[in-house]
Amino acid sequence: MKRNRKNDKQIYRDDTLPRFPLNINQHAYLAGKSTDTALHTLVGKIERAINSQQYALGVILDIEGAFNNASTNSPLNVLRSKKVSITIIQWIARVNSGDVIEVYLLKGFPQGGVLSALMWILVADSLLTILNSAGYFTQGFADFSILVEGIDLSTVCEVLQAALHKNERWRKDHGLSANPEKTEMVLFT
């Protein structure tokens, strides 16, 4: 029997997301949000810092092969924490290609999978929650941006370093690494 994937996805979006909303700084794969909204928010914060004679130190952090390398337990743990039905969790836990073949993933999400983008933003949302609840401005799209503002540059650097340590712990917990070739740090003055 073939499952109605659109219906399962709709149940999740109509039932679970309203009860456990994503972080407001998540801009990826969501209706009404885009690269433009992420950049607008980030540039606005940078401009306010500069207009207030403050430093703004930002990191744009690329997660290396996010879809391919994330631990398979990461989205399942998020779904459990958001009280998603066990049936949906079990369905997501296995990748099914009709009645012909069953494939079990060792890591990552299937490229082009119906739920892959949603699974990624659920995993990414946990980093946004960790960093934003600790007081760091962090937003997500395909990459993450972390921005720290302040009047003392050495303090700004220390605060950003603490955020990067939290990011590193999160990445290790989820089997992910940063791509150093696509990660940039910029000081705005």
Side-chain angles (χ1 to χ4, degrees), residues 49 52-56 148-156:
S52 299
Q53 304 293 310
Q54 294 183 335
Y55 294 101
V148 175
E149 306 158 59
I151 57 172
D152 180 64
L153 184 56
S154 64
T155 302
V156 167

Side-chain angles (χ1 to χ4, degrees), residues 69-80:
N69 295 317
S71 145
T72 53
N73 286 328
S74 294
L76 300 177
N77 291 337
V78 172
L79 292 170
R80 285 183 196 101

Side-chain angles (χ1 to χ4, degrees), residues 4 14 28 36 45 47-48 69-70 72 78 82 86 94 103 107 110 121 123 132 143 146 185 188:
N4 184 342
D14 290 346
D36 290 341
K45 288 192 70 63
E47 288 175 342
R48 283 189 292 284
N69 295 317
T72 53
V78 172
K82 294 183 180 287
I86 191 69
R94 53 187 199 132
V103 178
K107 64 180 181 177
I121 63 173
V123 172
N132 283 303
D143 302 332
I146 305 169
M185 182 182 294
F188 300 95

Side-chain angles (χ1 to χ4, degrees), residues 68-110:
N68 293 330
N69 295 317
S71 145
T72 53
N73 286 328
S74 294
L76 300 177
N77 291 337
V78 172
L79 292 170
R80 285 183 196 101
S81 75
K82 294 183 180 287
K83 311 283 190 264
V84 172
S85 92
I86 191 69
T87 304
I88 293 176
I89 292 172
Q90 288 173 343
W91 178 75
I92 290 171
R94 53 187 199 132
V95 177
N96 195 331
S97 177
D99 295 323
V100 178
I101 186 172
E102 259 186 27
V103 178
Y104 294 90
L105 295 175
L106 300 176
K107 64 180 181 177
F109 319 117

